[in-house]
Amino acid sequence: ELSNRMAVRAVDIIKMLMKQGMMLKINDIIDTDTAELVATEFGHTVKRVSESDVEEGFIDAEDHDDDTVVRPPVVAVMGHVDHGKTSLLDALRKADVAAGEAGGITQHIGAYQVRLPAGEKVTFLDTPGHAAFSAMRARGANVTDIVVLVVAADDGVMPQTIEAINHARAAKTPLIVAVNKMDKHEANPQRIINELLQHEVVVESLGGDTQIIEVSAKTGLGLDNLIEALLLQAEVLDLRANPDRTAEGVVIEAKLDKGRGPVATVLVKRGTLKRGDIVVAGSSWGRVRALINERNEQLAEAGPSEPVEILGLDGAPDPGDTLAVVENDARAREITEYRQRLRREKMVAPVGAVSLTDMMSKLQDKKLKELPLIIKSDVQGSTEAIIGSLDKLATDEVRARIIHSGAGAITESDVQLAKGSNSPIIGFNVRASKQARDLAEREGVEIRYYAIIYDLIDDIKGVLSGMLAPIQ
Ligand code: GDP
């Protein structure tokens, strides 16, 4: 196809690529960077689809400040199992001024929006836990503006609490701590403040910048304070988007519905999505036939931070896929056919593949001074010993940065975190679950297993020294 478009013999392209060390057959797929290189080499000027869209005035590259308006924050609720994430999401839903009107009947579409008496809105992702959060981030879609970390006042900081803290930190998403179950006699919020401190979450009363709110999802205590804290945090973040442009969004859920066909819930990031728009989402496309919110209301359009179900796609995209409005059917077909072909031929190298070797070459460019790592081991004691030894390897110039560590098997969540933060995973005396292995393979995340601490440290030492001295 490339040879046709450039009117150059395919064999000449293959020869040129061979000189670059790429052995390809005539119908193999090459990535965009390589295609660009080839085209330039043969004297053509390359215009990427996204850039040509910009030039044709169809898409604005960036929004100018004066075109933007304040948009509602998008909030994810995370925390340890049974600490009350689901209960809190249910309770917060009742703060919606319209909740009473429709008898409070809502459907789960993956997110909901609460409208407050003063007119502000807050969007909650209603799939609790960090799986959804990091699955999206692993695909490069960072939709969450604020994380509410739920900690049960009678239980304290637990392994998944720590995991959530690390996920939020890796995504640079600010946290608000909700100390839940304050109605219980055993509630001890002071203990939680201290435990959080051990994980470098410093609350305001100790001079930090993390708000901590005491709540009870059961009695409703403190929920208004929590919402106030969210609005305050949103104000600090100065969240804005331009509503007057073609829409871009992120798919947060998708399914094949027996009656309605493919249904995807989309969170609009900027612009306004309208009924009748032609959209591309992942490798699916279609004309938006209906926009439906969580109260089952049909909408004509949806603006920034608004979650809506859309009907009319020709297939179900994946969570984390971006959605974009395109100018016509032909363009939509062109893009999706290309994406489907890539998928079928599985020739796409995982974007931003993460391996130690890769990391080494990046490091030799002296661009990176920290080696991000995720460490899982059989017992907490080993993890601590490994981290202690790694700390000793640190110099003024290089060090290992532990994104996340813990005891137990390597899970999908670890892989997603690794992908999102570009770090390999080190397993010490533990294995990865089948799902985690599959995901790691798909996403190009490297998992290294060790049984002897010395070997592990030695390898990391090698990588770190590679970071030190650029080979001349
Ligand atoms: P999740 O696993 O984090 O989603 O937790 P759930 O929302 O399912 O709650 C776990 C359990 O804690 C349930 O039995 C809830 O009824 C209970 N629970 C949640 N919030 C509160 C609360 O504020 N006070 C009390 N006493 N119980 C709560």
Side-chain angles (χ1 to χ4, degrees):
E1 198 179 321
L2 190 58
S3 91
N4 264 338
R5 288 213 188 180
M6 299 194 302
V8 170
R9 289 189 315 158
V11 59
D12 292 335
I13 297 183
I14 292 176
K15 264 195 215 153
M16 184 234 142
L17 287 170
M18 219 185 267
K19 281 192 206 137
Q20 309 276 332
M22 291 177 76
M23 299 302 186
L24 295 170
K25 292 189 297 298
I26 188 154
N27 280 327
D28 284 347
I29 290 191
I30 54 178
D31 61 53
T32 10
D33 288 338
T34 313
E36 188 164 349
L37 184 83
V38 171
T40 317
E41 190 78 3
F42 286 96
H44 292 269
T45 317
V46 172
K47 227 194 242 179
R48 300 221 175 184
V49 173
S50 48
E51 284 165 14
S52 67
D53 280 348
V54 172
E55 272 174 31
E56 283 156 28
F58 191 65
I59 292 179
D60 299 323
E62 275 309 315
D63 289 325
H64 309 289
D65 259 3
D66 32 338
D67 299 333
T68 61
V69 296
V70 172
R71 64 170 178 84
V74 178
V75 179
V77 174
M78 302 206 255
H80 197 69
V81 64
D82 278 348
H83 280 196
K85 297 179 292 293
T86 315
S87 310
L88 192 63
L89 279 163
D90 285 345
L92 286 164
R93 201 167 210 150
K94 299 197 185 98
D96 193 321
V97 285
E101 296 167 17
I105 297 170
T106 54
Q107 49 165 356
H108 168 94
I109 64 167
Y112 65 83
Q113 207 168 43
V114 167
R115 275 139 317 162
L116 302 167
E120 306 102 322
K121 293 174 181 171
V122 181
T123 302
F124 290 95
L125 298 177
D126 73 352
T127 309
H130 48 244
F133 175 82
S134 49
M136 273 190 262
R137 222 171 71 76
R139 304 183 70 88
N142 219 357
V143 292
T144 308
D145 299 308
I146 304 169
V147 167
V148 169
L149 179 69
V150 180
V151 189
D154 60 341
D155 201 21
V157 171
M158 301 301 276
Q160 284 166 289
T161 317
I162 300 166
E163 225 170 279
I165 292 172
N166 291 335
H167 276 281
R169 191 169 283 153
K172 299 195 172 63
T173 309
L175 276 180
I176 292 177
V177 179
V179 179
N180 190 32
K181 308 199 185 184
M182 282 303 294
D183 56 289
K184 288 197 163 185
H185 296 303
E186 316 86 289
N188 184 353
Q190 190 54 45
R191 188 182 110 208
I192 290 166
I193 291 178
N194 294 335
E195 288 173 352
L196 287 169
L197 191 59
Q198 288 167 24
H199 298 279
E200 287 156 56
V201 176
V202 190
V203 302
E204 285 175 332
S205 62
L206 297 181
D209 55 9
T210 305
Q211 302 186 73
I212 181 164
I213 314 289
E214 297 178 4
V215 301
S216 164
K218 192 174 168 190
T219 67
L221 169 96
L223 294 187
D224 41 352
N225 296 338
L226 178 58
I227 287 176
E228 214 166 280
L230 285 167
L231 293 174
L232 182 68
Q233 183 64 259
E235 215 176 297
V236 172
L237 293 171
D238 191 29
L239 306 165
R240 311 180 74 88
N242 177 3
D244 300 319
R245 46 161 291 151
T246 49
E248 278 175 28
V250 175
V251 174
I252 50 180
E253 275 191 19
K255 61 181 180 209
L256 270 172
D257 186 290
K258 264 200 198 108
R260 303 185 295 168
V263 182
T265 300
V266 173
L267 187 70
V268 177
K269 289 209 82 170
R270 48 188 196 159
T272 298
L273 184 62
K274 302 188 176 78
R275 195 161 54 209
D277 276 346
I278 297 168
V279 296
V280 174
S283 41
S284 311
W285 75 281
R287 184 183 288 273
V288 178
R289 211 167 66 224
L291 295 166
I292 304 160
N293 70 10
E294 73 275 11
R295 284 179 299 280
N296 226 343
E297 293 161 349
Q298 297 253 0
L299 310 175
E301 54 178 48
S305 297
E306 208 168 334
V308 274
E309 272 191 343
I310 62 168
L311 305 189
L313 289 174
D314 65 347
D318 291 322
D321 278 342
T322 50
L323 170 134
V325 174
V326 295
E327 50 192 327
N328 55 38
D329 293 20
R331 171 66 116 215
R333 270 203 203 93
E334 188 187 355
I335 298 173
T336 47
E337 272 167 21
Y338 173 71
R339 288 183 181 169
Q340 282 164 7
R341 221 174 96 202
L342 280 183
R343 210 184 236 194
R344 266 201 309 277
E345 311 207 0
K346 286 219 165 135
M347 277 288 297
V348 255
V351 185
V354 188
S355 72
L356 274 182
T357 335
D358 252 30
M359 197 67 79
M360 287 269 265
S361 59
K362 270 195 207 139
L363 295 171
Q364 269 159 11
D365 295 344
K366 281 197 105 181
K367 282 188 192 131
L368 255 175
K369 285 296 181 188
E370 285 186 326
L371 173 67
L373 289 176
I374 290 176
I375 296 179
K376 292 300 285 277
S377 74
D378 50 348
V379 287
Q380 192 56 34
S382 326
T383 310
E384 278 158 21
I386 293 164
I387 294 175
S389 309
L390 290 177
D391 278 347
K392 288 194 197 112
L393 298 178
T395 70
D396 290 346
E397 286 186 62
V398 292
R399 68 180 180 113
R401 186 159 64 90
I402 312 301
I403 303 286
H404 176 61
S405 66
I410 297 161
T411 63
E412 278 177 282
S413 160
D414 295 325
V415 176
Q416 276 149 355
L417 185 58
K419 166 80 178 161
S421 52
N422 262 321
S423 56
I425 300 175
I426 306 289
F428 181 76
N429 281 335
V430 289
R431 309 303 293 176
S433 69
K434 164 119 180 55
Q435 292 92 323
R437 279 201 310 274
D438 291 348
L439 186 66
E441 187 156 331
R442 276 205 305 282
E443 301 287 7
V445 170
E446 181 179 30
I447 304 180
R448 285 208 174 187
Y449 302 101
Y450 293 90
I452 297 168
I453 288 201
Y454 176 81
D455 290 344
L456 190 168
I457 302 300
D458 217 40
D459 275 6
I460 301 299
K461 205 171 177 176
V463 178
L464 288 174
S465 52
M467 292 162 72
L468 258 182
I471 296 158
Q472 299 292 334

